[in-house]
Amino acid sequence: AQSVSQHNHHVILSEAASLELGCNYSYGGTVNLFWYVQYPGQHLQLLLKYFSGDPLVKGIKGFEAEFIKSKFSFNLRKPSVQWSDTAEYFCAVSLTSGTYKYIFGTGTRLKVLA
Amino acid sequence: DVKVTQSSRYLVKRTGEKVFLECVQDMDHENMFWYRQDPGLGLRLIYFSYDVKMKEKGDIPEGYSVSREKKERFSLILESASTNQTSMYLCASIALDRYEQYFGPGTRLTVT
């Protein structure tokens, strides 16, 4: 069965530190990849997505992610975090054909200290 | 902008009650989803619907049912609420030609 793993469950950083959150998926076929973010008290919103093409994708608020097909990975990065990046981050995968089901990772809670 | 709304932000129900959670989207999306979100478990799919009156079980359908009588509305029903159904429930929708899901604000359900 397909699955998505997020290895970091809780991350604490100081402002201006660099961020990298890991995401690995298990599926042999072609996938679409997403990172969603949930700020405290707010609904889930899309941070960035990868469908095809350039494996380095840029999203909102200075986030980027790199798709490495050989490693089945889609890690999220930000060179310098801000206190306002405190949130929970979810990696998700959907198949490119058939069902529109998403498979979500378990999430990473990021806390940025001012 | 796509808007997905859920009928309640917070709900408290007693064990054994029948609970209805409503979700409405305003962008004519074909596909709609119900998830529950629990700490450390991420989002788990309960049911989804790809058309009016059509539904498919997700990963954790036990104890739940759904109804989709109109394209814009997708209801989640807890037939007999139990304490282990205390959770955050999220609704989402997606257009046929896209893969980006849009989420509602969630309903935090507490069953006592």
Side-chain angles (χ1 to χ4, degrees):
Chain A
Q2 301 94 8
S3 65
V4 176
S5 298
Q6 290 182 243
H7 307 294
N8 316 101
H9 299 294
H10 292 90
V11 174
I12 301 174
L13 295 172
S14 298
E15 274 194 316
S18 65
L19 170 72
E20 180 158 3
L21 301 183
C23 173
N24 289 89
Y25 66 93
S26 65
Y27 180 68
T30 307
V31 296
N32 300 310
L33 296 153
F34 307 83
W35 276 97
Y36 279 83
V37 60
Q38 189 173 36
Y39 298 104
Q42 296 188 27
H43 62 274
L44 272 162
Q45 55 187 285
L46 184 68
L47 201 53
L48 48 77
K49 61 191 177 193
Y50 172 81
F51 289 172
S52 63
D54 188 343
L56 184 63
V57 293
K58 295 190 184 299
I60 60 172
K61 304 187 180 186
F63 286 90
E64 65 179 31
E66 185 175 13
F67 171 48
I68 303 179
K69 191 174 181 180
S70 61
K71 293 184 178 181
F72 299 91
S73 70
F74 189 56
N75 292 353
L76 181 71
R77 298 195 292 249
K78 186 171 184 179
S80 175
V81 295
Q82 300 173 308
W83 177 80
S84 58
D85 293 324
T86 294
E88 189 161 17
Y89 294 81
F90 294 92
C91 181
V93 165
S94 72
L95 306 184
T96 58
S97 61
T99 178
Y100 284 79
K101 280 176 63 174
Y102 271 41
I103 303 160
F104 282 86
T106 53
T108 298
R109 285 186 184 271
L110 171 66
K111 185 170 185 176
V112 180
L113 304 174
Chain B
D1 277 352
V2 175
K3 194 164 185 183
V4 180
T5 57
Q6 295 183 229
S7 50
S8 305
R9 290 301 299 270
Y10 299 94
L11 211 51
V12 179
K13 295 291 182 181
R14 294 198 180 275
T15 301
E17 279 192 81
K18 191 168 186 176
V19 181
F20 293 86
L21 303 182
E22 301 276 316
C23 174
V24 177
Q25 50 93 4
D26 65 359
M27 281 301 290
D28 203 35
H29 285 171
E30 293 82 3
N31 297 272
M32 296 187 73
F33 304 79
W34 274 106
Y35 296 90
R36 63 178 283 175
Q37 181 182 7
D38 299 288
L41 297 178
L43 276 71
R44 293 179 292 166
L45 181 65
I46 305 171
Y47 268 96
F48 65 103
S49 168
Y50 49 88
D51 202 350
V52 175
K53 297 193 185 294
M54 307 300 285
K55 61 186 179 185
E56 280 201 30
K57 292 180 180 179
D59 300 317
I60 51 163
E62 296 78 20
Y64 303 94
S65 61
V66 290
S67 171
R68 193 160 180 208
E69 297 296 320
K70 293 185 178 181
K71 192 174 185 180
E72 68 271 17
R73 189 180 298 271
F74 191 35
S75 302
L76 179 70
I77 303 154
L78 286 66
E79 297 291 343
S80 177
S82 64
T83 54
N84 62 13
Q85 291 178 310
T86 291
S87 186
M88 171 71 86
Y89 290 88
L90 299 178
C91 175
S93 72
I94 185 173
L96 260 184
D97 60 346
R98 302 188 62 185
Y99 288 86
E100 178 182 339
Q101 288 199 356
Y102 295 87
F103 285 86
T107 296
R108 186 166 293 282
L109 172 68
T110 302
V111 182
T112 61

